[in-house]
Amino acid sequence: MRRRSSLIIISSILFLLVCGFFGWAKVRYAAPVPVASAQGGYYEESFLLKLSAPSGGTIYYTTDGSTPNVNSLVYTDGIWIQNRTQEPNKYNAIQNVMTNWLEYTPSSAPVEKGTVIRAIYVNDLGIASKIFTQTYFVGIPCPQSGYTLSLVFEDGDLFGTDGICVTGSEYDSWYLSGDHSTSAPEPNFNKKTEVSVIAELMDASGDVMNCPVLLRLQGASMRGWIQKRFILEADSMETGSNIFPIELFPGTSTHSVMTKGSVVDAMVHDLVADRSAATQKSVPVKLYLNGELWYSWYFLERYDNQYFHQYYDVDNVYLVKNGEIDEDVPPEEADAYEEMMYWLAHTDFSDSDNWSQLNKEIDVQSYIDYIAVNYYLCNWDFSDYKNHILWRSIYEETSPYGDKRWRWCLYDVDALELTRNNYAVENAAEVNIFSDPLPYSEVKVNETVHFQAMRQNPEFCRQFVLSFMDIVNNNFDVGKV
């Protein structure tokens, strides 16, 4: 027994010594990241970028966003950084970003282009450093507000045959065959695929964030549009944190954001941020793909667990989007939403007891603010199951919002921009979305389940009218807008 104990002790000591040695060796022989003579950002004139590292090794680099390795360009005596705008477009010239891509001819007009430098240092033991990544813009105006986002990635992840932004090889084979007797394969951009990219975020001072993030496409029908919307999510596996390392929006910690192009979306959320429906903060962002301008849009917050924890102090969220239950909802709670919808559709809420019970289940003011804002904006692109987000706490929590009452989130209100076309009117004010059928759902707002149920009660009608007038006269006051 003593001999066995001694062997165990000796083995443990040897194990610790070996681990200590390898830990020491890792630190001792680690290859440092190359150091640049200039930080990524905006510059007026072309210049020679210098990279430095200890003698005895080699610096390898790329200029197209790809990952450097020992087969990449060998750094010798500087890299010339200049305005590359007049070079042919690369990503803006790709056709198969929509289903009928033979009918799409990309513009050949050059877009702004910067230079992405990625570099590694390999020491004399063959150990490679972590990757240096910086983006440089020459002769391109720096945005006066918001951020510049340089997304750095492997071409194949976004635009290769299996890329998330294109139709993909399987669809293209079907499309080009001319034999459409069988159903079309699902385009890549309709699949919920996620890839890892580097997000280099800059403001007027230079880099404020440079780290791996997870990227996927945002939206439903918008996936088939040429310029894709993106969702960026903190990559906890790579960075050790499920929130971004900076405050993207003042005073907030953010897990994920999305890009959207509508000034209406950005403006409206700011105007009604004091109402009882949840809203999304926004900030302008100019987005480049491996140095090539993609668009100048907005970052918007996303309604995720971090959002509800931050603004409502709720840790366990029951989220419903377009009638679909979030995957984080436990099985025993999964039917709660449909049970609520059934109860609303089959109950007389002119009865005071039923109305009292509804107020225990639903934050009525949150619903009123949600529907009043959409009505005022003539937002026809929503219904009970379209662009419709509501939430509650899964369990009773100590927070004032941990009461398990359903509340609403303002979401995707940019359809105002297309109202005149969809209803063939000169002025959006001519449209009454309470009585005019909504184009996509063919229902009217006053036929939706929640509104039909609540309008039975005179207290709701009074509260709605007062709230609507307050929103029109205060939130949408001409001076504020």
Side-chain angles (χ1 to χ4, degrees):
M1 178 64 75
R2 287 183 179 177
R3 184 179 179 185
R4 184 180 179 187
S5 299
S6 297
L7 287 172
I8 292 173
I9 292 171
I10 292 170
S11 298
S12 299
I13 292 172
L14 287 173
F15 176 76
L16 293 173
L17 288 172
V18 169
C19 288
F21 171 78
F22 280 109
W24 170 83
K26 183 178 180 181
V27 174
R28 173 68 176 79
Y29 297 109
V33 177
V35 176
S37 59
Q39 183 186 28
Y42 288 85
Y43 295 85
E44 293 182 2
E45 303 291 339
S46 303
F47 64 96
L48 190 68
L49 179 72
K50 297 278 191 173
L51 300 179
S52 60
S55 60
T58 304
I59 295 175
Y60 300 91
Y61 72 98
T62 63
T63 60
D64 59 359
S66 60
T67 302
N69 56 43
V70 295
N71 296 314
S72 302
L73 297 169
V74 175
Y75 175 82
T76 54
D77 192 27
I79 305 168
W80 188 246
I81 304 296
Q82 62 185 353
N83 189 314
R84 298 175 47 245
T85 297
Q86 294 306 315
E87 295 180 11
N89 296 339
K90 183 175 182 180
Y91 306 113
N92 288 277
I94 294 173
Q95 270 190 289
N96 64 334
V97 290
M98 57 189 298
T99 51
N100 292 324
W101 55 263
L102 286 178
E103 300 176 11
Y104 165 56
T105 302
S107 170
S108 59
V111 300
E112 295 175 359
K113 297 179 187 72
T115 301
V116 177
I117 299 297
R118 306 197 77 193
I120 57 170
Y121 168 68
V122 179
N123 66 18
D124 53 0
L125 296 177
I127 299 173
S129 70
K130 292 183 178 180
I131 302 173
F132 166 92
T133 302
Q134 295 276 272
T135 307
Y136 300 88
F137 301 99
V138 175
I140 294 172
C142 176
Q144 295 301 304
S145 62
Y147 297 111
T148 295
L149 174 63
S150 173
L151 290 180
V152 182
F153 54 91
E154 297 291 341
D155 279 354
D157 288 342
L158 268 65
F159 295 99
T161 55
D162 296 318
I164 65 173
C165 292
V166 297
T167 46
S169 55
E170 187 179 2
Y171 177 91
D172 289 348
S173 294
W174 172 87
Y175 180 56
L176 295 173
S177 71
D179 179 10
H180 297 168
S181 58
T182 58
S183 298
E186 186 177 28
N188 287 359
F189 50 65
N190 281 344
K191 301 173 184 177
K192 296 181 179 180
T193 308
E194 197 170 63
V195 297
S196 179
V197 303
I198 300 297
E200 184 184 359
L201 200 65
M202 308 174 191
D203 61 15
S205 66
D207 270 19
V208 293
M209 185 179 87
N210 193 322
C211 64
V213 301
L214 297 174
L215 180 81
R216 61 183 183 274
L217 298 190
Q218 191 274 338
S221 60
M222 288 297 297
R223 290 169 175 265
W225 284 41
I226 296 164
Q227 290 183 310
K228 312 301 184 190
R229 297 173 176 174
F230 295 122
I231 291 173
L232 281 73
E233 186 175 295
D235 188 348
S236 58
M237 294 295 290
E238 289 289 337
T239 66
S241 175
N242 68 344
I243 60 174
F244 294 120
I246 67 162
E247 291 183 356
L248 292 177
F249 312 95
T252 66
S253 297
T254 308
H255 170 66
S256 61
V257 293
M258 60 184 177
T259 59
K260 292 198 72 175
S262 170
V263 67
V264 173
D265 254 323
M267 180 179 69
V268 168
H269 284 264
D270 286 343
L271 290 171
V272 299
D274 64 329
R275 307 303 303 188
S276 294
T279 57
Q280 299 163 299
K281 290 181 179 178
S282 64
V283 63
V285 62
K286 192 174 185 181
L287 191 151
Y288 292 82
L289 301 181
N290 280 339
E292 181 173 315
L293 180 64
W294 194 236
Y295 46 60
S296 293
W297 283 7
Y298 292 88
F299 270 154
L300 263 70
E301 292 179 295
R302 292 188 67 243
Y303 296 122
D304 56 24
N305 286 332
Q306 172 63 21
Y307 176 95
F308 294 106
H309 171 75
Q310 177 153 262
Y311 292 109
Y312 297 97
D313 196 22
V314 171
D315 293 321
N316 300 282
V317 177
Y318 193 129
L319 190 65
V320 182
K321 182 178 179 181
N322 302 334
E324 294 185 5
I325 314 301
D326 188 81
E327 60 185 17
D328 292 334
V329 175
E332 64 271 18
E333 292 283 341
D335 294 333
Y337 172 70
E338 289 299 338
E339 289 171 356
M340 183 266 292
M341 294 291 281
Y342 182 87
W343 176 64
L344 289 176
H346 296 85
T347 304
D348 177 12
F349 291 105
S350 64
D351 178 85
S352 59
D353 289 338
N354 290 338
W355 179 246
S356 177
Q357 183 59 36
L358 182 144
N359 278 271
K360 294 178 182 178
E361 303 284 340
I362 289 174
D363 183 332
V364 174
Q365 187 62 54
S366 177
Y367 175 73
I368 286 176
D369 288 347
Y370 165 81
I371 205 71
V373 169
N374 277 288
Y375 174 51
Y376 179 77
L377 295 173
C378 299
N379 182 26
W380 44 266
D381 192 20
F382 82 107
S383 67
D384 286 328
Y385 296 97
K386 181 172 176 57
N387 288 334
H388 185 223
I389 300 179
L390 65 164
W391 71 280
R392 68 167 173 80
S393 59
I394 295 176
Y395 312 109
E396 294 284 350
E397 298 186 21
T398 56
S399 158
Y401 297 96
D403 55 9
K404 297 183 69 172
R405 289 201 298 164
W406 293 102
R407 293 177 168 86
W408 274 257
C409 302
L410 199 63
Y411 181 72
D412 207 0
V413 296
D414 56 2
L416 168 65
E417 299 174 358
L418 302 174
T419 298
R420 288 187 298 173
N421 292 337
N422 279 279
Y423 284 95
V425 295
E426 289 298 319
N427 192 315
E430 299 176 44
V431 178
N432 184 338
I433 63 169
F434 273 104
S435 57
D436 296 331
L438 302 171
Y440 288 149
S441 59
E442 294 302 320
V443 300
K444 307 165 187 175
V445 169
N446 60 15
E447 294 174 347
T448 56
V449 171
H450 299 93
F451 194 81
Q452 274 192 317
M454 293 188 221
R455 71 180 297 195
Q456 300 172 49
N457 189 276
E459 182 180 332
F460 170 82
C461 295
R462 179 178 180 276
Q463 189 176 345
F464 178 87
V465 170
L466 292 175
S467 298
F468 183 81
M469 292 172 63
D470 186 42
I471 288 171
V472 173
N473 293 325
N474 290 295
N475 296 91
F476 291 111
D477 174 73
V478 173
K480 289 183 179 178
V481 174

